[in-house]
Amino acid sequence: MKLAAIDIGTNSIHLLVVDVGSDGSVNPVEKSRVQAELGAGGLDAETLAPEAFQRGVDTLVQFRETCDSFNVEHIACAATSAVREAANGKAFCNEVKARTNIHVRVIAGVEEARLIYLGARQDLDFSRGRVLLFDVGGGSTEVILCDAENILASQSLRLGHIRLAEGWHHSDPMSADE
C-alpha cells in the first residue's frame, strides 16, 4: 500500500511517498521538495501574497499528480505557520481541496512541535539526559525540551528566517542602517 505525507511550510513544501509492506515495513519511493515560499511578501500582513498563494496551489497540483502516478491510497497533508496565520489561509486550503481533492490540515504550533519531536526522537542521543530541540522554519521556530519518552515543554515562536529577512533586510547588499 502506498501512502503520502505533505508538509506545507512557510518556506518549502515537502512530499514523501512510501510503500507500506504487509509486514509493516516502510520504504520511501519518492521524495520531493519545492521552495514555494508561501510566507514571502505576506507574513507581516498576515496574508498569503497572491504570487505565493498560486505557487503553493501549483505545487500541490504537481504533488497530486505525483501521488496519482504512484497509485497512492491516502494522502496526509499538514500546513504550518504561513497558512495558520494568514487571513486567506482558509481560502488557500479550499482552493487546494477544489483543485486536488487533498484536505489540508492546518496545525497549531504546539502540534507542530509534537510532530517535530516524533520525527526527530529516533535520531537523538538521550544518553546524557534531556535534549533541547530547535526547529527553525520560515515563519516560526519550535523549541522543544524532551527526553526519550516525552515532551517536557514546548513553544512555537513567531520567529522564522523569512519573517526575519523581510522585517530587517530590505536591500542587497545591506545598507549601513540595516
Side-chain angles (χ1 to χ4, degrees):
M1 167 173 48
K2 296 218 176 46
L3 305 175
I6 298 173
D7 172 7
I8 303 173
T10 300
N11 183 52
S12 58
I13 302 176
H14 296 258
L15 167 68
L16 174 64
V17 177
V18 297
D19 189 10
V20 180
S22 58
D23 61 352
S25 61
V26 178
N27 298 302
V29 295
E30 178 68 19
K31 286 176 76 171
S32 296
R33 175 186 177 273
V34 173
Q35 191 165 337
E37 295 183 332
L38 274 180
L43 288 178
D44 286 341
E46 295 185 340
T47 189
L48 299 175
E51 303 83 19
F53 187 108
Q54 192 59 53
R55 283 192 305 270
V57 171
D58 291 345
T59 298
L60 289 156
V61 166
Q62 173 190 342
F63 282 180
R64 179 67 208 213
E65 291 168 357
T66 300
C67 288
D68 290 346
S69 74
F70 283 102
N71 297 314
V72 168
E73 293 179 35
H74 178 74
I75 300 171
C77 180
T80 60
S81 179
V83 177
R84 78 172 160 249
E85 295 174 17
N88 60 345
K90 185 174 182 175
F92 174 80
C93 295
N94 290 339
E95 182 68 14
V96 169
K97 179 73 171 175
R99 298 267 314 273
T100 67
N101 202 31
I102 296 172
H103 170 74
V104 178
R105 187 180 115 188
V106 180
I107 60 173
V110 67
E111 176 67 358
E112 186 175 356
R114 186 183 77 81
L115 293 171
I116 291 163
Y117 166 72
L118 291 174
R121 179 173 59 184
Q122 69 186 18
D123 295 320
L124 298 175
D125 178 7
F126 293 102
S127 64
R128 297 185 347 182
R130 298 173 175 167
V131 171
L132 185 62
L133 295 175
F134 290 86
D135 183 82
V136 180
S140 67
T141 295
E142 281 61 46
V143 182
I144 307 148
L145 177 63
C146 58
D147 62 23
E149 302 297 323
N150 298 296
I151 293 175
L152 305 170
S154 66
Q155 185 71 44
S156 180
L157 307 171
R158 289 177 57 138
L159 179 68
H161 74 86
I162 290 178
R163 190 181 306 274
L164 287 173
E166 289 186 354
W168 294 93
H169 181 220
H170 301 287
S171 59
D172 189 12
M174 290 176 68
S175 68
D177 291 338
E178 291 176 315

